Amino acid sequence: MMMPRCFVSLIQAFFLSLVLLLHHVGGESQAAHHHHRELQAYRRPLQDCPGCTTTSASSLHYDPDLKDVNIVATYSDHHGNIRLGSVKMGDLSSSWLFHHPLLPPNNNKPPSQLVTPRDSFQNDSRMEESASYSSTNQTDNHFPHVEFTSPAKLKRQSLRQERRAQRTLELIQQDKESDKQMQEAAIHKSMTFENSLVGKYSIWRRDYESPNADAILKLMRDQIIMAKAYAHIAKSKNASNLYLFLTQQSRENQRVLGKATSDADLPSRALEQAKAMGHALSLAKDELYDCHELAKKFRAMLQSTERNVDGLKKKGTFLIQLAAKTFPQPLHCLSLQLAADYFLLGFNEEEEDVVKKDAKFEDPSLYHYAIFSDNVLATSVVVNSTVLNAKQPEKHVFHIVTDKLNFAAMKMWFRVNAPSDATIQVENINDFKWLNSSYCSVLRQLESARLKEYYFKANHPSSISAGADNLKYRNPKYLSMLNHLRFYLPEVYPKLDKILFLDDDIVVQKDLAPLWEVDMQGKVNGAVETCKESFHRFDKYLNFSNPKISENFDAGACGWAFGMNMFDLREWRKRNITGIYHYWQDMNEDRTLWKLGSLPPGLITFYNLTYAMERSWHVLGLGYDPALNQTAIENAAVVHYNGNYKPWLGLAFAKYKPYWSKYVEYDNPYLRLCNINE
């Protein structure tokens, strides 16, 4: 009797595949029954657990409630095509046996019990087989221990891993960005670093263009830096022995160096110590070398050194400013002795009036000079150097204006030491009755409560505590009207057509008479420009963030210096220059256009009214720049000690001082009495 073809194909399929998608295996009917109760408690259909497996149909104890559970199998039909088939669990015969698809069947041993899932089902999620199996179960041919993880938990684990990976990338990126910022800061600092100290050992000095100059000294100093870097790394890595060794060698290097400033100053054992330190550094490199760590340490050392340098520069600036505005005791002595003799000798105002009536004072055909100063010795050098280099000294007239405190001393000096040929006029600024606060803007501001608060209240926001930049503006010269009298030359000398203004910190080295023949092409002020690339241009002195400045002036306009200026007083009066000065001085009452001083308002007042003279007439910088061209100084008609290093102070550059001291009469009794010597 022939069986139906479909029934034969179904039986053939089950015997050929025997592959189930269920993973739990039950060995005995009691365990299987317990497992079915669990499944029923979860109320999950078995079709949602395709990976669960068992060993026999009879051991499952078919439950009517599970009649809708299907078992899916693959089989080949009689044409060889792959088919999918399913059968109800309740229709299975008890003689059918099944095995786990990942393990070979073993007919000699009973299958193990079903494994209860450890994780409960949540949110209708499917059970998933773990990829880890027990080696013991595999050895005993038991089915592996299977763990079930819900998709929600797997998702959380996946997200957690992604967050950790993302956080790791962020930290790495932050570290790279931090290193990059430190590198950029270090590079920027190194580019803006200014080496203003004049020392023997400096790699920026031209003296060291030769690579072999003081080689041992440089090597040992570099070794100390390297040793400090490696010692820091050794300490961080608990390499205490190496740390102590490097520290000891560094101290020994420092002892050998001592106060040496060249190889010639080093002791004979210096080279041996350098070799010993080199050996120590070689050991440190072999054990600790890490380019990234060394770079970080060197950057930290550089930044620390720069902070120390900045602190020392601020202290140095303060001391220099203090010394610059301090009146040296010998000069103070000179003024006292001269004033005392002036009054003891009984000079009176009547005699002074006779001197004032000298016709040369108002003769426009002569060469007139204006010097406004309270420093007797400095003024004498200006006069002496001008007269000694003049071809016609009898045609030179010097108009000296000082304050009431130094008037007697200045008068006495030039009574006793006046040049034989030149004419000297000494005046007291207090005698200019027209120079009062109602007419003079800057005098009104100097008397204002706001400026007094700026100068004398330390807790003011713009006081000395605001920074070293403001220190120079607390120099007494900024409070003196002698510094601003240059803007009133036509009022002081109403009968003159031209006048040469000279600062008291200059030295004349050539005849200046030809300056009166220079055609200034209708300009008011003749001066030597001070442009050097971007240095000494208008934006250095004026606040171009203020629209009043930016709308009226060019930030790149070339600056010039007071010190030697030829003023055409006729053009001055024609263009009302003093009125222009008053206008801008009133606009700057709150000091928002410029700070203090006479140069910024001078740049504004004579803007587009300044004639550029030949540079050889006036060389500046002897009071602040130690690297000026020596030939330019010697060929200059006038050299200017502008800056803090005045030639009458101990701060002066030694190589520049002879240009000034050659015009000082050190054998003068007053100078010997006050111990003023070279």
Side-chain angles (χ1 to χ4, degrees):
M1 181 177 177
M2 296 290 293
M3 297 179 65
R5 179 177 295 179
C6 62
F7 186 74
V8 173
S9 298
L10 182 60
I11 294 174
Q12 191 178 34
F14 278 106
F15 278 95
L16 289 173
S17 63
L18 298 180
V19 179
L20 301 177
L21 300 178
L22 303 173
H23 293 293
H24 283 286
V25 179
E28 298 176 356
S29 61
Q30 185 177 359
H33 184 67
H34 173 73
H35 179 61
H36 285 302
R37 286 204 309 271
E38 263 191 325
L39 292 176
Q40 189 176 16
Y42 285 115
R43 301 190 65 83
R44 296 281 300 175
L46 194 57
Q47 65 180 1
D48 287 343
C49 185
C52 299
T53 61
T54 184
T55 58
S56 69
S58 61
S59 65
L60 296 176
H61 289 280
Y62 172 73
D63 192 329
D65 292 335
L66 300 177
K67 61 184 178 181
D68 58 338
V69 176
N70 295 334
I71 296 176
V72 181
T74 60
Y75 65 95
S76 301
D77 59 13
H78 62 284
H79 296 293
N81 298 321
I82 302 300
R83 302 285 188 182
L84 287 177
S86 64
V87 64
K88 298 292 185 182
M89 182 176 285
D91 297 335
L92 294 177
S93 171
S94 60
S95 62
W96 287 32
L97 297 176
F98 310 102
H99 67 84
H100 194 280
L102 299 179
L103 295 176
N106 191 337
N107 298 327
N108 299 326
K109 293 184 179 181
S112 61
Q113 296 180 350
L114 289 172
V115 181
T116 305
R118 294 188 176 184
D119 291 332
S120 61
F121 296 97
Q122 297 177 4
N123 302 326
D124 293 333
S125 61
R126 295 179 181 270
M127 293 184 293
E128 297 185 9
E129 181 183 355
S130 174
S132 61
Y133 301 100
S134 171
S135 60
T136 304
N137 288 342
Q138 293 178 11
T139 304
D140 295 339
N141 287 330
H142 288 176
F143 290 102
H145 180 77
V146 182
E147 292 185 358
F148 296 92
T149 304
S150 67
K153 186 173 182 180
L154 288 174
K155 185 65 174 177
R156 288 195 299 272
Q157 291 176 351
S158 175
L159 292 175
R160 190 179 300 115
Q161 291 176 353
E162 291 178 2
R163 287 196 298 269
R164 288 176 179 172
Q166 183 65 28
R167 181 58 178 164
T168 301
L169 291 175
E170 291 176 357
L171 291 174
I172 293 174
Q173 185 64 26
Q174 288 178 4
D175 187 53
K176 290 181 179 178
E177 291 177 356
S178 177
D179 287 347
K180 184 178 179 181
Q181 291 174 359
M182 291 179 66
Q183 291 175 5
E184 291 176 351
I187 292 171
H188 178 72
K189 280 283 188 180
S190 65
M191 292 174 65
T192 58
F193 182 78
E194 295 180 3
N195 181 32
S196 59
L197 298 177
V198 183
K200 181 69 176 177
Y201 175 69
S202 172
I203 61 175
W204 289 280
R205 289 187 57 185
R206 295 179 180 177
D207 304 8
Y208 294 95
E209 291 178 353
S210 172
N212 297 322
D214 298 332
I216 300 177
L217 179 73
K218 295 179 182 179
L219 172 64
M220 296 184 71
R221 288 181 172 176
D222 290 342
Q223 285 178 335
I224 292 174
I225 296 173
M226 291 295 297
K228 288 181 179 179
Y230 276 124
H232 174 81
I233 298 174
K235 188 175 182 180
S236 65
K237 294 185 177 181
N238 296 323
S240 56
N241 292 335
L242 185 56
Y243 168 76
L244 294 174
F245 180 55
L246 289 170
T247 304
Q248 179 184 0
Q249 289 295 327
S250 180
R251 285 197 295 264
E252 186 62 27
N253 252 35
Q254 194 62 56
R255 278 195 294 269
V256 171
L257 286 174
K259 296 182 179 180
T261 57
S262 67
D263 281 358
D265 300 331
L266 294 173
S268 57
R269 62 190 180 96
L271 187 57
E272 291 299 323
Q273 174 56 33
K275 291 179 180 179
M277 175 62 96
H279 177 67
L281 292 175
S282 178
L283 294 176
K285 181 179 179 181
D286 291 341
E287 185 171 343
L288 300 173
Y289 181 75
D290 185 323
C291 185
H292 182 68
E293 286 293 328
L294 274 177
K296 290 177 64 176
K297 179 57 183 174
F298 282 141
R299 284 197 296 271
M301 292 173 67
L302 176 63
Q303 291 171 356
S304 175
T305 302
E306 287 174 343
R307 285 194 295 269
N308 293 336
V309 170
D310 287 341
L312 292 174
K313 285 174 67 176
K314 289 180 180 179
K315 293 178 182 178
T317 300
F318 174 80
L319 294 174
I320 290 172
Q321 295 291 346
L322 181 63
K325 72 178 183 179
T326 300
F327 201 64
Q329 184 177 357
L331 296 185
H332 184 65
C333 167
L334 178 63
S335 295
L336 287 177
Q337 291 293 333
L338 289 169
D341 288 351
Y342 179 83
F343 292 113
L344 286 174
L345 293 175
F347 295 112
N348 52 47
E349 293 296 327
E350 288 76 11
E351 293 180 353
E352 300 304 322
D353 289 338
V354 174
V355 176
K356 287 181 181 178
K357 294 179 181 179
D358 193 325
K360 288 186 176 181
F361 294 160
E362 298 180 351
D363 186 352
S365 64
L366 302 179
Y367 306 131
H368 294 267
Y369 301 86
I371 306 171
F372 306 147
S373 174
D374 58 359
N375 188 326
V376 176
L377 185 61
T379 304
S380 71
V381 170
V382 177
V383 174
N384 289 343
S385 62
T386 305
V387 173
L388 290 175
N389 289 286
K391 295 179 180 179
Q392 296 177 302
E394 68 279 359
K395 299 183 70 173
H396 294 261
V397 180
F398 296 89
H399 303 270
I400 301 171
V401 180
T402 187
D403 56 14
K404 185 176 183 179
L405 184 63
N406 295 280
F407 176 72
M410 194 75 75
K411 288 287 295 184
M412 186 64 192
W413 176 267
F414 284 104
R415 270 185 171 273
V416 178
N417 301 289
S420 57
D421 297 325
T423 304
I424 308 294
Q425 179 188 26
V426 179
E427 295 181 278
N428 184 352
I429 192 174
N430 290 71
D431 293 337
F432 301 152
K433 302 304 180 183
W434 51 267
L435 193 64
N436 51 59
S437 57
S438 61
Y439 174 68
C440 178
S441 301
V442 70
L443 184 59
R444 182 170 61 253
Q445 293 172 13
L446 290 173
E447 295 175 351
S448 67
R450 179 182 296 179
L451 204 62
K452 291 178 181 178
E453 185 179 41
Y454 173 79
Y455 269 94
F456 302 112
K457 289 192 176 181
N459 60 348
H460 192 265
S462 60
S463 68
I464 193 170
S465 60
D469 290 342
N470 291 330
L471 285 175
K472 64 180 181 180
Y473 298 111
R474 283 164 175 76
N475 193 307
K477 73 176 184 178
Y478 292 110
L479 294 174
S480 173
M481 270 304 299
L482 288 174
N483 195 44
H484 301 274
L485 188 61
R486 64 194 71 189
F487 293 103
Y488 299 95
L489 287 171
E491 286 84 349
V492 179
Y493 310 108
K495 300 293 182 66
L496 299 180
D497 296 334
K498 279 188 175 182
I499 195 166
L500 184 64
F501 173 81
L502 298 177
D503 262 341
D504 62 0
D505 56 353
I506 65 102
V507 174
V508 178
Q509 301 185 128
K510 293 183 179 180
D511 183 22
L512 300 182
L515 285 173
W516 273 263
E517 305 301 325
V518 174
D519 181 9
M520 295 174 54
Q521 302 175 4
K523 306 292 185 180
V524 179
N525 172 33
V528 172
E529 293 182 334
T530 57
C531 291
K532 294 180 181 179
E533 296 179 357
S534 62
F535 187 57
H536 283 167
R537 296 187 182 273
F538 270 43
D539 57 354
K540 178 178 174 62
Y541 304 98
L542 305 176
N543 178 19
F544 276 85
S545 64
N546 191 305
K548 296 177 183 176
I549 295 295
S550 59
E551 292 173 3
N552 291 280
F553 305 99
D554 178 12
C558 193
W560 46 267
F562 280 122
M564 190 205 73
N565 305 81
M566 177 60 72
F567 290 109
D568 188 333
L569 300 183
R570 290 172 297 184
E571 286 292 329
W572 186 310
R573 299 183 187 99
K574 185 187 302 183
R575 296 175 181 271
N576 189 23
I577 298 300
T578 303
I580 297 174
Y581 165 71
H582 283 164
Y583 170 80
W584 286 106
Q585 194 69 50
D586 289 338
M587 296 287 286
N588 192 46
E589 187 171 2
D590 56 357
R591 300 191 310 280
T592 58
L593 305 186
W594 68 87
K595 292 181 180 179
L596 290 173
S598 57
L599 181 56
L603 297 176
I604 288 179
T605 302
F606 298 103
Y607 182 64
N608 289 332
L609 296 173
T610 298
Y611 173 78
M613 304 177 71
E614 292 291 334
R615 290 186 179 275
S616 60
W617 281 112
H618 186 190
V619 171
L620 300 100
L622 278 74
Y624 70 87
D625 188 352
L628 292 174
N629 185 282
Q630 204 76 14
T631 303
I633 294 175
E634 293 172 357
N635 294 334
V638 171
V639 292
H640 193 175
Y641 291 82
N642 57 314
N644 291 319
Y645 300 89
K646 303 299 184 185
W648 55 84
L649 299 176
L651 299 171
F653 296 116
K655 63 179 180 179
Y656 297 153
K657 193 169 182 178
Y659 298 106
W660 183 83
S661 60
K662 66 186 292 186
Y663 297 105
V664 178
E665 300 174 359
Y666 288 105
D667 58 345
N668 186 283
Y670 285 105
L671 300 188
R672 292 202 305 268
L673 181 63
C674 294
N675 295 319
I676 298 176
N677 45 53
E678 292 188 73

